[in-house]
């Protein structure tokens, strides 16, 4: 049920003030202020000291609203060496074995 329907249904009741509701509110004990938090809560499972997480300063900012920057141009020498690199020899072909005859139906 959408919240607007619920709001419309109960708005008149919520805004209505009667003596019964005010009397109940007066009988309620005062609410104590919450205790101040002394420190930040500790994690349930602390991480071992052997792990070193990067700080937020070392991560570059990313925006999904901006286009991606162009990729750097690949050096021409690297592409030439990849094309002229010696290929590994292929292993010799194995002779094909004849498939088993299918069962007779």
């Amino acid at each position: 049920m959408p919240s607007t329907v619920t709001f419309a249904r109960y708005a008149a009741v919520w805004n209505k003030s009667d003596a019964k509701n005010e009397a109940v509110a007066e009988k309620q004990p005062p609410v104590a202020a919450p205790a101040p938090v002394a420190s930040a809560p500790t994690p349930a499972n602390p991480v071992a000291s052997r792990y070193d997480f990067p700080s937020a300063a070392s991560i570059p900012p990313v925006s999904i609203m901006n286009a991606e920057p162009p990729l750097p141009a690949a050096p021409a020498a690297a592409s030439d060496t990849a094309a002229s690199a010696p290929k590994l020899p292929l292993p010799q072909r194995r002779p094909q074995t004849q498939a088993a005859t299918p069962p007779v139906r």
Side-chain angles (χ1 to χ4, degrees), residues 3-100:
S3 61
T4 55
V5 173
T6 305
F7 181 78
R9 180 184 297 168
Y10 296 106
V13 177
W14 291 333
N15 291 331
K16 189 170 119 178
S17 175
D18 59 51
K20 179 181 169 188
N21 289 338
E22 291 174 1
V24 171
E26 290 174 0
K27 292 180 182 178
Q28 296 292 328
V31 178
V37 178
S39 64
T42 59
N45 297 325
V47 179
S49 62
R50 66 178 179 215
Y51 297 111
D52 183 27
F53 295 108
S55 67
S58 66
I59 301 171
V62 177
S63 173
I64 61 170
M65 301 304 290
N66 297 336
E68 292 185 17
L71 295 175
S79 62
D80 292 339
T81 57
S84 65
K87 294 184 178 181
L88 295 176
L90 295 175
Q92 292 182 355
R93 289 190 167 198
R94 296 182 192 174
Q96 290 187 350
T97 59
Q98 192 166 5

